Amino acid sequence: MGRNKDPETPKELAHFNARIEGIDYDVLDELVGYAVRRAQLSIYEDFAASLGEEDITPQRFSSLVIIENNPGISQTRLSEVMGIARSGVVSIIDRFEAQGLVERQDAGDRRSYQLRLTREGQKQLRRVKKMVKEHDERISGALTPDERVQLCRLLRQLCN
Amino acid sequence: MGRNKDPETPKELAHFNARIEGIDYDVLDELVGYAVRRAQLSIYEDFAASLGEEDITPQRFSSLVIIENNPGISQTRLSEVMGIARSGVVSIIDRFEAQGLVERQDAGDRRSYQLRLTREGQKQLRRVKKMVKEHDERISGALTPDERVQLCRLLRQLCN
DNA sequence: TATTGTTATACTCTATAACTATA
DNA sequence: TATAGTTATAGAGTATAACAATA
């Protein structure tokens, strides 16, 4: 995750503290964009701390969930869903394949593959999904269930 | 910004569409973390489209605002505020300095600098701040003022 | 001709560690 | 000894462009 994996020796770990004492944030405090960015950094940090040993990132996790629930999806389609270039999907899937989590199966069209989770991939995802849910409940722990739903609704409105 | 600057020739621009027709997002739809990430990607894209010609990023913009409102701040302190390593701040400030936007001034302690905006930096920031505010109002345009405040409040609760 | 996956390449961001000059 | 800034280096992540196989 590009972060120090050993919590015993964090020489210069760049921890993100959303609000530092004595600092004037000026207009940043009024921008929805900055509020989202701040939250995202905090969440990412907790994600990394919770799943740092799992060789999983939000990106990789999302990919596995999309493949699980849309079996047979092509790499190009997955790149559209993830919002990244096709070349980026290649290395993601290469790694999943090397780990035995995803299979490239023949499609009718011999230019493309159908992506599917292997049995091992399904097993691992089941386990990781539980960890991600726990992480998500922890970070949104300060919110009531109503507020949580409200927040997701408002965020959805930002994405058009 | 790492994106294609020429809107005339976007061969394979990776646009992020938060919700793609016919795709089952499963658990991703219930995770606060994914909702925030999705929103962040959408916002970043609009930011880049709005300020792509300005050699400014959310990161760089935040730095300028922090320096403006906390004049004399040191690089180490800025690295803490931004949540990045000290070495990262060096190149950010190097660039600002080369552009004549920020000055490294002598501090009492000769190991460190006091960072300040130049007159040109102030002028540029004033201009860019206006553009960022417009961008922010556009992306949160689907929200009422109340919802906007509500959203920022809920996001703040996520950061502890 | 157009599309899918792939490779080559480059750029940005960020981290760690070692260095220097000061304190 | 400790701190501030710097440099060197490396690893993600992502983009573009060109290519082969196939449609």
Side-chain angles (χ1 to χ4, degrees):
Chain A
M1 316 255 333
R3 300 272 169 148
N4 190 336
K5 290 289 177 66
D6 182 357
E8 236 59 291
T9 58
K11 281 279 155 47
E12 195 168 326
L13 182 60
H15 165 68
F16 179 67
N17 195 333
R19 182 148 301 281
I20 286 190
E21 193 83 28
I23 292 291
D24 179 357
Y25 288 82
D26 188 55
V27 69
L28 299 180
D29 274 334
E30 299 157 25
L31 297 172
V32 172
Y34 190 71
V36 171
R37 186 178 136 80
R38 256 200 288 233
Q40 214 266 323
L41 287 170
S42 284
I43 292 168
Y44 186 87
E45 211 168 82
D46 188 90
F47 187 104
S50 309
L51 291 107
E53 307 304 316
E54 292 295 329
D55 189 28
I56 197 86
T57 59
Q59 176 85 273
R60 284 166 59 71
F61 175 71
S62 306
S63 302
L64 288 177
V65 171
I66 295 297
I67 294 169
E68 182 191 41
N69 291 278
N70 304 272
I73 191 173
S74 73
Q75 292 186 190
T76 293
R77 182 100 164 121
L78 182 57
S79 77
E80 290 162 6
V81 176
M82 306 294 295
I84 62 178
R86 286 177 302 151
S87 58
V89 170
V90 174
S91 48
I92 292 174
I93 301 302
D94 279 353
R95 190 141 145 221
F96 282 146
E97 211 178 28
Q99 294 174 314
L101 304 180
V102 169
E103 275 177 353
R104 287 176 160 108
Q105 293 187 344
D106 287 347
D109 186 331
R110 283 172 59 199
R111 286 171 303 183
S112 72
Y113 295 119
Q114 296 193 339
L115 302 176
R116 284 176 209 288
L117 293 194
T118 62
R119 200 158 289 273
E120 176 65 14
Q122 291 170 25
K123 191 180 135 199
Q124 291 298 321
L125 181 53
R126 207 152 36 227
R127 197 173 54 78
V128 167
K129 216 186 253 187
K130 210 178 289 178
M131 298 174 72
V132 172
K133 279 181 181 169
E134 283 168 14
H135 143 76
D136 203 73
E137 272 158 31
R138 180 168 52 255
I139 57 149
S140 57
L143 274 51
T144 66
D146 270 2
E147 287 175 327
R148 218 179 115 119
V149 170
Q150 174 81 338
L151 174 58
C152 286
R153 186 181 68 76
L154 292 171
L155 286 171
R156 215 169 297 126
Q157 284 181 251
L158 290 184
C159 307
N160 306 8
Chain B
M1 317 255 335
R3 300 272 170 149
N4 191 338
K5 289 288 175 67
D6 182 357
E8 235 59 291
T9 56
K11 282 281 157 44
E12 194 168 327
L13 181 60
H15 165 68
F16 178 67
N17 195 333
R19 181 148 301 281
I20 287 190
E21 193 83 28
I23 291 292
D24 179 358
Y25 288 82
D26 190 53
V27 70
L28 299 180
D29 274 333
E30 299 157 25
L31 297 173
V32 173
Y34 190 70
V36 171
R37 186 177 137 79
R38 254 199 291 231
Q40 214 267 323
L41 287 170
S42 284
I43 292 168
Y44 186 87
E45 211 168 82
D46 188 272
F47 187 104
S50 308
L51 291 108
E53 307 304 316
E54 292 296 328
D55 190 27
I56 196 83
T57 59
Q59 176 85 273
R60 283 166 60 72
F61 175 71
S62 307
S63 302
L64 288 178
V65 172
I66 295 297
I67 295 170
E68 180 190 42
N69 292 277
N70 304 271
I73 192 172
S74 72
Q75 292 186 190
T76 295
R77 183 97 163 121
L78 182 57
S79 78
E80 290 163 6
V81 175
M82 306 294 297
I84 62 177
R86 287 178 302 150
S87 58
V89 170
V90 174
S91 48
I92 291 174
I93 302 301
D94 279 353
R95 190 142 144 219
F96 282 147
E97 212 178 27
Q99 296 175 312
L101 305 179
V102 169
E103 276 177 352
R104 287 174 161 110
Q105 292 187 344
D106 286 349
D109 186 331
R110 283 173 58 200
R111 286 171 304 184
S112 72
Y113 296 118
Q114 295 193 339
L115 302 176
R116 283 177 211 288
L117 293 194
T118 62
R119 201 159 288 273
E120 176 65 15
Q122 292 169 25
K123 189 180 135 198
Q124 291 299 321
L125 181 53
R126 208 154 33 230
R127 196 173 55 78
V128 167
K129 216 186 253 188
K130 208 178 291 178
M131 298 175 72
V132 171
K133 278 181 181 168
E134 283 169 14
H135 144 76
D136 203 72
E137 272 156 33
R138 180 168 52 255
I139 58 150
S140 57
L143 274 51
T144 67
D146 270 2
E147 286 175 328
R148 217 180 116 119
V149 170
Q150 173 80 340
L151 174 57
C152 286
R153 186 180 69 78
L154 292 171
L155 287 171
R156 216 170 296 126
Q157 283 181 251
L158 290 185
C159 308
N160 305 9

